[in-house]
Amino acid sequence: MFRTLLINPGSTSSEISIFEDEREVKSARMIHPIAELRKYSSILDQYPYRCAAIKEQLRQWNIRKGDLAAVVGRSFISRRESGAYVVNQKMIDDVKSILSRVEHAAGMGCMLAREIADEQGIPAFVAHCASQSLGPMAKVSGIPGIQRRAVYHVVNIEGIAGLAARELDRAMDDLNLIIAHLEGGMSIAAIAGGRLVDVSNAFEEGPFTTERSGALPVVSLVELCFSGQYTREQILKMIRGEGGMVAYLGTNKISDIEKQVQAGNKEAGFYLEAMCYQVSKEIAAMASVLKGKVDAVILTGKILESAHAVNWIEERCGFIAPVKRYPEQEALAFAQAALTVLRGEEKARIYE
């Protein structure tokens, strides 16, 4: 039996799990309040704070040296081949360089895994599922020199697609799905025959989220950028980190917003339904990509913590195909990637 620790840092939370082989035996989700995160000028500055929170949780679980076989972090690297990659210094250096340009907490996954693994004297991996690229037509943006890119929550979407195929008792190459990963970052993907056809870029497209602005009116955005009122860093933070529900309601926690709606807060209800309105429009757009031939619309992510949100999306999208709800599959995918190496079924890949 192999016991692995999984670390999944998200924009406003850090999730960890302990698996014994393929069975999850412990899990914790540490919420990082916006007020706390605002103390740090960059994602990298958050590292000691997040690392301390994870170590404290491991202490509470009484995890000692020798209890774990490996630590697996969320991937922030782009590679053509799937599998478990050893976390080396080259990977950490490259991730730090990327984080200086594109801030996302996922980049800390390899760093957190490496620090805790070194303390335990065990290997650290990142589990990587190779992302698929968009087709030529989907890449067209409207401005030569700018291409649309497939930036999406690949591990969860791939895992959900496989799970849906098994539960529907259908072969992947005979299945059309729309999978909506909905939380701090949102990816809404059209899958045909097991292949990605199109997807909303989680960094700069799609609906607004609990903390991101999503797609914006571009002329208004350009005018804002050149107004002289904001720096480049302030604009980027408004788009990613302090946009969406954070800007409207001051919180990025979907369960808190749901409680406000249940308590009769009309403002919270309005903005939550507005977010679902935009999600539904994006799902319907993906239905057109699949020419209306959709076997299921699948909702996954923290959105499942809000009954109101799920119901509002189902009301608007139920005419497309049956709407199904699936919990996230990232943790199991991480564990399985490490297990293939620990069991000697595959060799760990070296990042170069």
Side-chain angles (χ1 to χ4, degrees), residues 15 19 41 50 52 58 72 80 115 118 129 225 265 286:
E15 299 180 12
F19 274 71
S41 59
R50 291 189 185 240
L58 294 177
V72 188
R80 294 181 182 276
E115 178 163 340
D118 283 351
C129 185
C225 291
N265 185 322
M286 292 302 167

Side-chain angles (χ1 to χ4, degrees), residues 48 63 153 228 270 346:
I63 300 298
H153 298 82
F270 173 80
E346 292 183 9

Side-chain angles (χ1 to χ4, degrees), residues 16-83:
I16 63 173
S17 303
I18 292 180
F19 274 71
E20 292 179 353
D21 291 337
E22 285 90 356
R23 185 171 67 94
E24 186 178 48
V25 295
K26 291 182 183 293
S27 65
R29 181 185 176 201
M30 288 148 281
I31 301 298
H32 307 312
I34 288 294
E36 185 67 28
L37 295 182
R38 282 177 175 157
K39 296 177 182 178
Y40 305 97
S41 59
S42 71
I43 287 290
L44 280 174
D45 289 341
Q46 297 175 18
Y47 179 82
Y49 162 69
R50 291 189 185 240
C51 193
I54 292 171
K55 289 181 179 179
E56 173 58 23
Q57 184 61 61
L58 294 177
R59 188 193 66 78
Q60 291 181 22
W61 284 345
N62 199 29
I63 300 298
R64 300 173 181 174
K65 190 171 184 178
D67 288 345
L68 302 172
V71 184
V72 188
R74 183 176 176 182
S75 175
F76 196 61
I77 59 173
S78 178
R79 282 291 176 268
R80 294 181 182 276
E81 296 180 316
S82 301

Side-chain angles (χ1 to χ4, degrees), residues 18-328:
I18 292 180
F19 274 71
E20 292 179 353
D21 291 337
E22 285 90 356
R23 185 171 67 94
E24 186 178 48
V25 295
K26 291 182 183 293
S27 65
R29 181 185 176 201
M30 288 148 281
I31 301 298
H32 307 312
I34 288 294
E36 185 67 28
L37 295 182
R38 282 177 175 157
K39 296 177 182 178
Y40 305 97
S41 59
S42 71
I43 287 290
L44 280 174
D45 289 341
Q46 297 175 18
Y47 179 82
Y49 162 69
R50 291 189 185 240
C51 193
I54 292 171
K55 289 181 179 179
E56 173 58 23
Q57 184 61 61
L58 294 177
R59 188 193 66 78
Q60 291 181 22
W61 284 345
N62 199 29
I63 300 298
R64 300 173 181 174
K65 190 171 184 178
D67 288 345
L68 302 172
V71 184
V72 188
R74 183 176 176 182
S75 175
F76 196 61
I77 59 173
S78 178
R79 282 291 176 268
R80 294 181 182 276
E81 296 180 316
S82 301
Y85 285 74
V86 175
V87 179
N88 55 22
Q89 192 59 45
K90 171 64 174 169
M91 181 188 295
I92 291 174
D93 291 343
D94 283 358
V95 164
K96 287 182 177 179
S97 176
I98 295 170
L99 285 175
S100 68
R101 304 187 305 275
V102 180
E103 290 209 338
H104 194 291
M108 287 184 282
C110 66
M111 300 159 60
L112 293 164
R114 174 73 175 269
E115 178 163 340
I116 292 172
D118 283 351
E119 292 180 357
Q120 291 271 330
I122 55 178
F125 304 114
V126 293
H128 180 64
C129 185
S131 60
Q132 300 178 43
S133 61
L134 300 177
M137 195 171 295
K139 290 180 180 178
V140 177
S141 71
I143 295 181
I146 297 178
Q147 280 195 339
R148 293 189 62 243
R149 300 176 297 144
V151 179
Y152 63 108
H153 298 82
V154 56
V155 175
N156 192 42
I157 286 177
E158 296 285 346
I160 291 292
L163 182 61
R166 290 192 294 274
E167 294 196 356
L168 293 170
D169 195 24
R170 298 273 297 278
M172 279 298 298
D173 59 6
D174 186 40
L175 199 59
N176 286 0
L177 301 170
I178 298 172
I179 302 178
H181 174 103
L182 307 174
E183 44 188 60
M186 292 188 180
S187 304
I188 301 177
I191 309 290
R195 298 292 303 173
L196 182 80
V197 180
D198 204 342
V199 65
S200 57
N201 185 314
F203 278 164
E204 51 189 331
E205 297 179 343
F208 75 84
T209 78
T210 53
E211 62 169 50
R212 298 182 187 177
S213 68
L216 293 168
V218 292
V219 173
S220 298
L221 177 61
V222 170
E223 290 175 347
L224 192 67
C225 291
F226 286 90
S227 68
Q229 299 179 54
Y230 305 98
T231 65
R232 176 181 181 274
E233 289 70 26
Q234 288 172 325
I235 292 287
L236 289 174
K237 187 152 284 190
M238 290 164 63
I239 292 172
R240 191 169 61 245
E242 295 186 2
M245 290 300 192
V246 171
Y248 290 125
L249 301 176
T251 181
N252 55 7
K253 193 175 179 183
I254 193 72
S255 57
D256 285 349
I257 299 168
E258 171 68 10
K259 290 176 183 176
Q260 292 180 42
V261 177
Q262 291 176 356
N265 185 322
K266 293 184 178 179
E267 183 182 25
F270 173 80
Y271 285 116
L272 182 60
E273 187 171 5
M275 185 179 76
C276 296
Y277 175 92
Q278 292 194 3
V279 167
S280 300
K281 282 204 301 182
E282 194 71 22
I283 289 172
M286 292 302 167
S288 73
V289 169
L290 297 173
K291 300 179 181 178
K293 298 176 182 178
V294 183
D295 294 296
V297 173
I298 297 174
L299 309 181
T300 182
K302 302 298 185 298
I303 198 72
L304 300 185
E305 296 176 3
S306 170
H308 281 90
V310 171
N311 288 337
W312 280 326
I313 295 170
E314 288 180 340
E315 285 175 2
R316 293 186 183 276
C317 298
F319 75 95
I320 298 171
V323 179
K324 299 180 178 295
R325 312 173 192 184
Y326 285 86
E328 293 180 64

